[in-house]
Amino acid sequence: MQPLSAESQAILERLRHLRRADAATHGGRVLSYVYDSGLAELDELAAEAMRLVQPVNGLDPTVFPSVATLEREVVGFARTVLHGDDDTVGTVTSGGTESCMLAVKTARDVWAAAQISDDPATQPMLSLRPRVIAPSTVHAAFHKAAHYFGLDLDLVPVDAEGRVNVADLVARFGPDVALVVVSAPSYPFGTLDPIEEVASAAARYGIPCHVDACIGGFALAWWGDLPPWDLAVPGVTSISADLHKYGYAPKGASVLLQRDRDRQRQQFFATARWPGYPVVNPTLLGSKSAGALAAAWAIVQRLGSDGFADLVASCRRSTEQLHTLIDGTVGLRVVGSPTGPLIAVASDLAVPKRSRVDPHHWADRVAELGFTLQMQPGFTQSNGFALPRTTHLTITPVTERMLPELSAALTRAADDVRGKAPANPRFAVQVLRLSGALGRELTADKAFALLTRFGIGASASTDDASTPLPSKMAPLMALVERLPAEFAERLLIEVLARQAEPTSS
């Protein structure tokens, strides 16, 4: 390996400096976004695998046949553990969102093809806009997919524990339904949807059923004591599972399995209608790195089924201990009966107000004690039933070695904020008043002015960021809860967009 020049070393040192501001990706201190196996060897293996394919373009496996081999073997492993058969085929994608979007795109195209008929009686169907039906806890990726591909997302309310009633789902079935989606488990509350019942009903109506196992697939496969939830269930036509979550691969790797070849072929885009090379893409991306695929392949080869089982067993032990700890903490409760290594924590309304623990204040205090949890705002469903604000914990294998310190932090934080009222809703009321004064259409500058008014848009003191976030996130979550969704979304866009804007020269 050629040694780096002084100039290159300086560039890398700047990058190291920038990385020091990031949340820790290893060590179990961030309980969302990152999935640390706790095995340093896997990180080194993944890094070397990525380096070996660094110049490869995953666009064309006929030119780079290694890409086809890696994908074939990763899909084969996923097909085995998710109980596909010899007709099951699949694709490695750039992540869960792309897997979910491709599942919806496939369903839309299959549905549209089925409407084409010479029978005049079927022609009115051609004017219908297809629907995707799912519980309200379905991942936001399906909101994105419906928006991008021109479908309506029909969300069915869930109960206080995040469970959907099968009859409520089936009542929405109709000839315009292109897909029904269930989760294994849902991200917000870790609820395993009633997959057998929904898939059976969908099959009777001739509706495809997708299982979103993006977060749970490579954990639930070895969890044990579960009802059938994957391709072992008749009526399930596709399933997604992320390799960069409980497959422990670097970001940029998920797998989408389709029940049969004909269905999967609808997922592709192909054109020979231009003077350049024929374009054939199984994914949304054209040119793409093979790095995450190679890393996922290497980790699958190294761990095998037994290795994954050992890591999942660690996750399960930690999840059970944290569940017990939280349920034993006055003022907090675990929402429902989560399945897999996810926990959502809400305030226990069964105790007096002075004994309650607001989950967002709790998360802010836990952050001060060295651990990052993920806040989830309260959400009012279409039937008016409100789901509580919660704090989300994603448990990984490395959590087990951090349990004593983490448990102490969770307990101390609860003691420190017990009885503290939730973030003041007047925060949101003031924003609404200001928004009226600024006009109905929020330009970038108007949105930024609102954020600045509440301390979210002030100029940063260094060149490493342009828009700092508040030190405490509970007030921002209160803002999201109280504002109309479209208004909150516009402000959140501005928060994120400003993060990456070039600084003034």
Side-chain angles (χ1 to χ4, degrees):
M1 185 182 300
Q2 183 176 349
L4 295 176
S5 66
E7 291 85 352
S8 295
Q9 290 285 7
I11 291 168
L12 293 179
E13 184 52 41
R14 172 85 199 291
L15 179 56
R16 293 186 189 100
H17 169 71
L18 294 174
R19 285 282 287 114
R20 292 184 192 112
D22 292 342
T25 57
H26 292 76
R29 292 191 172 275
V30 178
L31 283 87
S32 63
Y33 295 128
V34 294
Y35 300 80
D36 185 1
S37 69
L39 302 176
E41 179 189 350
L42 290 190
D43 291 333
E44 295 302 317
L45 174 64
E48 186 59 26
M50 295 177 78
R51 184 177 181 83
L52 286 172
V53 300
Q54 182 178 344
V56 168
N57 189 340
L59 169 67
D60 192 345
T62 68
V63 176
F64 301 102
S66 64
V67 172
T69 299
L70 298 177
E71 185 163 18
R72 183 187 312 119
E73 295 186 6
V74 168
V75 168
F77 178 77
R79 181 172 76 174
T80 298
V81 301
L82 299 175
H83 297 103
D85 57 26
D86 289 346
D87 291 328
T88 301
V89 290
T91 309
V92 174
T93 74
S94 65
T97 293
E98 187 177 20
S99 289
C100 296
M101 291 182 74
L102 287 169
V104 172
K105 184 265 184 193
T106 300
R108 182 201 65 180
D109 290 357
V110 170
W111 178 87
Q115 311 314 313
I116 299 174
S117 170
D118 293 331
D119 183 356
T122 67
Q123 294 309 302
M125 286 294 297
L126 296 176
S127 64
L128 290 178
R129 182 178 166 101
R131 283 185 294 141
V132 175
I133 295 178
S136 64
T137 48
V138 76
H139 195 276
F142 291 93
H143 293 249
K144 188 174 186 178
H147 175 74
Y148 274 38
F149 296 135
L151 299 92
D152 290 326
L153 183 59
D154 190 355
L155 297 176
V156 179
V158 299
D159 67 15
E161 296 190 348
R163 297 173 304 195
V164 69
N165 186 301
V166 176
D168 292 342
L169 271 172
V170 175
R172 308 284 183 98
F173 286 0
D176 59 337
V177 177
L179 186 68
V180 60
V181 181
V182 280
S183 302
S186 68
Y187 187 91
F189 304 132
T191 304
L192 182 64
D193 284 337
I195 292 168
E196 281 188 289
E197 295 91 334
V198 173
S200 176
R204 291 196 301 272
Y205 281 80
I207 298 171
C209 178
H210 178 77
V211 174
D212 173 22
C214 284
I215 194 165
F218 289 106
L220 299 191
W222 294 276
W223 198 260
D225 307 323
L226 298 178
W229 57 273
D230 56 14
L231 288 167
V233 177
V236 170
T237 51
S238 58
I239 187 169
S240 51
D242 286 2
L243 295 152
H244 63 208
K245 290 190 173 74
Y246 288 97
Y248 309 106
K251 294 301 180 189
S254 175
V255 65
L256 171 63
L257 298 181
Q258 303 273 14
R259 175 71 77 175
D260 60 73
R261 292 176 179 84
D262 288 336
R263 186 171 190 84
Q264 193 233 14
R265 297 331 188 233
Q266 294 288 335
Q267 174 188 312
F268 279 67
F269 170 82
T271 184
R273 304 177 197 187
W274 75 308
Y277 61 93
V279 172
V280 184
N281 301 143
T283 62
L284 299 178
L285 300 180
S287 291
K288 56 187 177 183
S289 169
L293 167 62
W297 171 85
I299 290 170
V300 164
Q301 296 290 316
R302 178 64 181 84
L303 288 177
S305 184
D306 290 344
F308 277 103
D310 289 343
L311 293 175
V312 170
S314 173
C315 292
R316 183 162 186 171
R317 289 191 296 269
S318 297
T319 302
E320 290 171 350
Q321 291 186 50
L322 289 170
H323 195 304
T324 299
L325 173 75
I326 293 164
D327 275 346
T329 300
V330 175
L332 290 175
R333 65 180 179 90
V334 171
V335 177
S337 301
T339 298
L342 309 177
I343 294 176
V345 183
S347 181
D348 184 1
L349 302 184
V351 301
K353 286 185 178 180
R354 65 179 180 276
S355 298
R356 295 175 190 171
V357 176
D358 177 77
H360 292 173
H361 288 321
W362 179 62
D364 272 335
R365 181 65 182 122
V366 171
E368 293 173 344
L369 298 174
F371 292 89
T372 301
L373 312 181
Q374 186 179 60
M375 299 181 194
Q376 300 182 137
F379 176 73
T380 300
Q381 303 177 96
S382 60
N383 63 353
F385 184 78
L387 299 172
R389 72 175 60 91
T390 59
T391 288
H392 172 103
L393 285 73
T394 295
I395 292 88
T396 62
V398 76
T399 304
E400 191 165 29
R401 72 180 66 158
M402 297 297 291
L403 271 176
E405 187 177 350
L406 174 61
S407 299
L410 298 180
T411 300
R412 178 180 170 184
D415 292 341
D416 290 348
V417 303
R418 185 172 290 110
K420 184 177 180 179
N424 195 331
R426 286 178 296 179
F427 187 65
V429 172
Q430 291 170 343
V431 171
L432 282 173
R433 289 172 180 167
L434 281 174
S435 70
L438 288 171
R440 184 176 183 84
E441 183 65 30
L442 271 182
T443 64
D445 287 344
K446 288 179 179 179
F448 188 62
L450 281 177
L451 294 170
T452 303
R453 168 70 176 77
F454 293 101
I456 303 174
S459 297
S461 58
T462 73
D463 66 350
D464 293 346
S466 59
T467 307
L469 294 171
S471 59
K472 293 184 182 295
M473 297 299 291
L476 181 58
M477 288 297 106
L479 184 67
V480 172
E481 285 180 356
R482 300 291 181 172
L483 290 176
E486 63 277 8
F487 195 84
E489 289 160 359
R490 178 63 191 89
L491 293 182
L492 291 171
I493 287 171
E494 200 61 34
V495 170
L496 192 62
R498 295 272 173 170
Q499 298 295 311
E501 286 192 359
T503 55
S504 300
S505 58

